[in-house]
Amino acid sequence: MQIGKYILDKQQEEIVRNEDNYLLVTAGAGSGKTLTILGKISYLVKEKKISENEILCISFTKSSAESLKQKIKQELILEVPTYTFHKLSLEIIKEEYKNYEIASDSLLENIVNEFFEIDIYHNPYLLMIICKYFKEKTKKKELAYQKIMETKKNEIFKLKQLSITFIKLMKCNNYNLKDFLLFLSKIKKSLNYVRYKKEKTILTLILNIYLKYENYLKENKEIDFDDMLLTAIKKVKEVGMKKQLKYIIIDEYQDTSYIRFQLIKEIIKKTNAKLMVVGDDFQSIYKFTGCDISLFLNFKNYFEDAKIMKIEKTYRNSNELIQIAGAFIMKNKKQIKKKLYSEKHLTRPIKILKYKNIRKIFLEIIKELAKKKEQKILILGRNNKDINLLLNDDIQKTNQDKIKIKEYEYLDITYMTVHKSKGLECDNVILINLDNKITGFPSQLPEEKLTRLVTRTKDTYPYSEERRLFYVALTRTKNYVYLLVPKKSPSIFIEELENIMNYLEKENNFFKSLGVFNK
C-alpha cells in the first residue's frame, strides 16, 4: 500500500487492514504513525466504502489536529472531521452553550493569585489557619500574613501551584464539590496527626479557591475545558450523536485523561463505531495535566476483545540510538515491551560530554556542527530557564526562542523544553541541565502527596515520568544527541545510560568507544 510517495511497511499495512472493533497501536518514536493513520483512512474510504463523514479523527493539541487534517486533505484528497477533544465537546454542546464564552487558560491561575494575595486578608478564618500552618504567632493576623507573604515566597508559590494542579486533576478525573467530604475522610485515616492537620489546612484553602473559581464561571457565563467535556458526556448519554459514525481514530492516545476516555466510551455506546487509538506509552509525559497512562497500558481491561498491534521500525533515529533509549525506558517493566529497530546506522549517536565550563564545551559542539551549515540544531532543557546556563554576551536568545551565537549567526538554533519538543524532530540535539539536583534532570521536586486524592492510578516506579521525558529528549534527533553533563554532579540518568552503553558494547559490539569525553 502506498500513501503519496511513501510505501507502508509490513506492520503498518497489517494495522491498516485490521478489522477488530477495538485496536490499540503502540508506535515507537519516528515510526510513521501519521502515515499509518492516513493509510487506515484511505483503506476505510476506498476499500470498505465508509463515507469520510462517518470517520472521526481526534488529536491531542490544536496544532496536531490541524496538521493531521491538512495531511488527510493533501495526501488523500478527503475532508475527514478532525478535532481536539475540546473542539469535539464544543461541537456537541454548542446549542446549549451558544451564549457562553470559553474560559481563558490563565483563569484558574489568576483566581489562585487573587485568593492568596487579596482574599485571605479579608477572611478571619482563613487568616487564622494559614498563620497556624506557617507557625506565625503574631496577634494581628493581617500583619502576620503580610510577613508570611514576604518571607515565605517559595512556600506560597508551592501552595499556589498545588492548588492549580489539584483542581485541574480533580476536574479532569470527574471529581466535584461533594467529593471534598471524601477527601477529608481519606486524610483522617492518616496515622500522622501533624500530616493530617497540614493536609486539612491545604484542602480548606483549595476548597475555597474551587468555590471561587466555579462561582466566577457561573456568574460570567464561561465554561472551562473540563466542564465542556463533562457536559458533552452528559448530552451524548441523554440524546446520542447527531452524526452517524462508523470509525473513530485517536492520535496521541497516551495523553488521554479519564473524562476524555469517558466521552469516547459514550460515543461508541451510542454509535457502535469501531475504534483505533495510536500512541506511545514511552512518551506519556503529561501526568500533571490529568493524563492517565493506565488507559493506554490497560487498554484490554477497558475494551473487551481489544487487539494490540505495534509499529516497531523507526525512520528517524539510528538503530544504535534506539537500542540504548529502548533499554533505558524499559527499566520500568510496566511500559509495553517493543522491539524497536532502524535501518539507519550511526557510530556513537549519543555523545556524553562532561564539562567544567558548559559554555566552552557548548561552543566546541557548535563549531563541529557548523561544518554542516544546512543542519538545524535543537537545544533542549528540563525547564524554561535552563537556557540561562549558556547565555552571555556572545550567546543570546531572541523572542522566538532562537539562539544567536556570535560568529555562527547563520546557524538555525532553537531552544525549548523537552515537553514542548514532543512530536518534533531535528538534525542534531543538545541536551542541557543534566545535573543531580532538585531542578535538574530528572527533576527531584517532591510530588505533593495530596494529589493522590484526585488521581485514579498509582505510578510507583521512581522517576517514571521523568524517565519517559528523558526518552523523548533522546529521540528528537535524526543524527546525534549531545548530553552536556557537569563533572561534579552528573544526573543519575547519565550513570544508567553509560552502564547500558557498556553492556550493549560488550554484548553486541555496537560501539568502538563510549563517546564519553572529559573536557
Side-chain angles (χ1 to χ4, degrees):
M1 182 181 286
Q2 185 165 344
I3 302 295
K5 61 181 180 180
Y6 298 102
I7 297 173
L8 272 65
D9 64 33
K10 185 181 177 183
Q11 284 184 321
Q12 290 170 333
E13 186 157 351
E14 284 175 355
I15 288 162
V16 165
R17 298 187 181 280
N18 177 270
E19 297 287 346
D20 285 277
N21 289 332
Y22 309 113
L23 174 63
L24 170 71
V25 177
T26 70
S31 63
K33 65 183 177 67
T34 303
L35 181 66
T36 308
I37 290 171
L38 294 177
K40 189 72 171 183
I41 293 167
S42 177
Y43 172 75
L44 292 173
V45 174
K46 293 177 182 176
E47 297 193 33
K48 303 303 289 184
K49 305 304 178 186
I50 293 175
S51 163
E52 56 198 294
N53 288 317
E54 293 176 320
I55 302 169
L56 171 64
C57 287
I58 304 172
S59 195
F60 185 56
T61 65
K62 187 178 178 181
S63 60
S64 64
E66 186 57 35
S67 174
L68 181 57
K69 184 178 182 179
Q70 290 305 316
K71 285 174 182 174
I72 294 168
K73 190 174 182 179
Q74 290 164 9
E75 300 292 343
L76 306 178
I77 324 296
L78 294 172
E79 296 277 355
V80 173
T82 306
Y83 296 95
T84 61
F85 275 98
H86 298 128
K87 190 177 177 185
L88 174 62
S89 300
L90 194 59
E91 182 77 15
I92 293 169
I93 67 171
K94 63 183 178 183
E95 289 303 315
E96 292 87 337
Y97 284 84
K98 59 187 175 185
N99 296 323
Y100 274 67
E101 295 289 326
I102 297 174
S104 164
D105 286 344
S106 60
L107 175 62
L108 180 55
E109 184 180 349
N110 294 339
I111 295 268
V112 168
N113 285 332
E114 189 177 87
F115 177 81
F116 278 95
E117 291 161 22
I118 298 173
D119 296 353
I120 288 178
Y121 281 108
H122 301 290
N123 187 312
Y125 175 69
L126 294 178
L127 266 177
M128 178 191 72
I129 65 167
I130 202 164
C131 287
K132 278 188 177 179
Y133 179 86
F134 283 103
K135 298 177 182 177
E136 182 54 62
K137 296 179 181 178
T138 308
K139 288 184 179 180
K140 290 189 176 180
K141 299 303 180 192
E142 292 88 350
L143 291 176
Y145 186 56
Q146 188 175 340
K147 182 181 175 184
I148 290 166
M149 291 292 283
E150 290 169 358
T151 60
K152 305 286 186 181
K153 288 181 180 178
N154 285 340
E155 288 87 343
I156 291 293
F157 174 76
K158 286 176 184 176
L159 277 177
K160 287 181 180 181
Q161 293 305 113
L162 173 58
S163 302
I164 293 167
T165 301
F166 191 96
I167 292 171
K168 281 184 177 178
L169 288 173
M170 180 182 160
K171 296 195 74 167
C172 72
N173 283 309
N174 203 7
Y175 293 104
N176 53 43
L177 182 60
K178 70 178 186 298
D179 290 304
F180 275 94
L181 291 173
L182 174 66
F183 302 153
L184 191 61
S185 68
K186 283 184 177 180
I187 66 170
K188 274 183 180 176
K189 293 175 183 177
S190 172
L191 298 175
N192 187 321
Y193 181 73
V194 174
R195 177 178 161 184
Y196 162 68
K197 292 293 286 183
K198 176 186 174 183
E199 291 190 335
K200 184 182 177 184
T201 298
I202 298 171
L203 266 182
T204 304
L205 296 172
I206 291 173
L207 170 61
N208 280 270
I209 294 167
Y210 175 78
L211 291 170
K212 179 182 172 74
Y213 178 64
E214 292 297 310
N215 285 339
Y216 180 95
L217 291 172
K218 187 176 180 180
E219 289 171 7
N220 291 276
K221 286 199 168 183
E222 292 187 12
I223 185 168
D224 67 14
F225 287 147
D226 291 319
D227 285 336
M228 282 164 55
L229 281 158
L230 290 168
T231 308
I233 292 166
K234 185 180 177 185
K235 186 172 179 184
V236 173
K237 272 184 181 178
E238 291 172 355
V239 300
M241 293 285 289
K242 285 184 180 179
K243 290 182 179 179
Q244 286 296 314
L245 286 177
K246 291 187 177 176
Y247 215 99
I248 300 170
I249 298 171
I250 305 176
D251 192 14
E252 303 289 359
Y253 186 70
Q254 77 279 348
D255 294 325
T256 299
S257 68
Y258 180 71
I259 54 174
R260 290 188 185 107
F261 165 77
Q262 289 288 93
L263 177 60
I264 295 303
K265 192 93 171 176
E266 287 303 323
I267 292 173
I268 290 171
K269 276 184 188 176
K270 296 295 184 182
T271 63
N272 291 317
K274 289 187 174 185
L275 174 68
M276 180 176 90
V277 301
V278 185
D280 183 6
D281 58 298
F282 288 5
Q283 298 184 69
S284 178
I285 57 173
Y286 291 108
K287 181 183 174 184
F288 63 94
T289 67
C291 297
D292 187 346
I293 193 173
S294 73
L295 297 169
F296 193 102
L297 298 177
N298 303 321
F299 188 75
K300 284 190 172 184
N301 293 347
Y302 297 105
F303 294 100
E304 194 175 347
D305 300 322
K307 180 78 175 284
I308 296 176
M309 300 181 78
K310 300 174 183 179
I311 312 175
E312 295 172 306
K313 182 179 180 180
T314 177
Y315 297 87
R316 178 193 304 154
N317 310 126
S318 65
N319 197 57
E320 290 77 10
L321 185 143
I322 216 69
Q323 294 305 313
I324 298 167
F328 175 82
I329 195 73
M330 279 308 301
K331 286 284 190 80
N332 182 353
K333 301 302 180 187
K334 287 187 178 179
Q335 305 284 168
I336 295 173
K337 192 170 184 179
K338 294 185 275 290
K339 294 179 181 177
L340 301 177
Y341 69 97
S342 171
E343 292 179 358
K344 182 177 180 179
H345 291 278
L346 278 176
T347 303
R348 299 197 303 270
I350 298 176
K351 298 183 180 292
I352 300 172
L353 307 171
K354 296 184 177 177
Y355 65 82
K356 287 183 179 178
N357 183 325
I358 190 170
R359 291 190 187 95
K360 182 181 177 184
I361 195 71
F362 171 71
L363 288 173
E364 286 183 22
I365 296 167
I366 295 299
K367 184 178 179 181
E368 180 184 326
L369 294 177
K371 295 169 187 174
K372 303 169 184 178
K373 293 183 182 180
E374 294 181 7
Q375 294 212 354
K376 293 182 179 180
I377 301 167
L378 180 61
I379 304 170
L380 295 178
R382 175 62 183 81
N383 313 296
N384 283 315
K385 294 181 179 179
D386 289 352
I387 190 61
N388 294 338
L389 293 166
L390 298 176
L391 300 182
N392 63 8
D393 291 341
D394 296 329
I395 306 170
Q396 298 188 347
K397 177 173 164 284
T398 69
N399 291 335
Q400 291 77 37
D401 287 332
K402 290 293 181 182
I403 305 300
K404 294 296 178 188
I405 302 172
K406 196 174 179 181
E407 298 181 25
Y408 301 103
E409 292 190 2
Y410 55 87
L411 290 176
D412 187 343
I413 308 174
T414 306
Y415 174 74
M416 63 179 68
T417 63
V418 184
H419 277 103
K420 288 180 183 175
S421 76
K422 186 169 166 288
L424 303 178
E425 62 183 23
C426 200
D427 295 311
N428 293 287
V429 171
I430 300 171
L431 184 56
I432 60 176
N433 191 19
L434 292 168
D435 283 30
N436 183 22
K437 61 181 182 182
I438 288 177
T439 56
F441 201 172
S443 168
Q444 296 173 30
L445 286 167
E447 187 174 318
E448 176 53 59
K449 290 181 179 180
L450 198 65
T451 57
R452 74 190 183 279
L453 301 173
V454 284
T455 51
R456 293 184 177 272
T457 54
K458 291 181 180 179
D459 194 357
T460 55
Y461 192 82
Y463 301 118
S464 56
E465 184 130 332
E466 292 291 308
R467 182 175 294 273
R468 294 191 288 269
L469 191 62
F470 193 68
Y471 176 85
V472 168
L474 292 176
T475 54
R476 295 312 90 199
T477 185
K478 295 184 198 175
N479 298 301
Y480 298 97
V481 56
Y482 298 82
L483 309 183
L484 274 54
V485 184
K487 278 186 175 182
K488 287 187 177 179
S489 58
S491 160
I492 56 173
F493 284 169
I494 296 302
E495 183 179 352
E496 271 196 51
L497 216 55
E498 288 176 327
N499 288 339
I500 289 166
M501 291 165 73
N502 268 322
Y503 174 80
L504 290 175
E505 182 191 20
K506 289 175 183 176
E507 294 295 314
N508 304 306
N509 197 25
F510 273 179
F511 308 119
K512 291 181 181 177
S513 67
L514 293 177
V516 179
F517 304 101
N518 295 309
K519 300 228 176 174

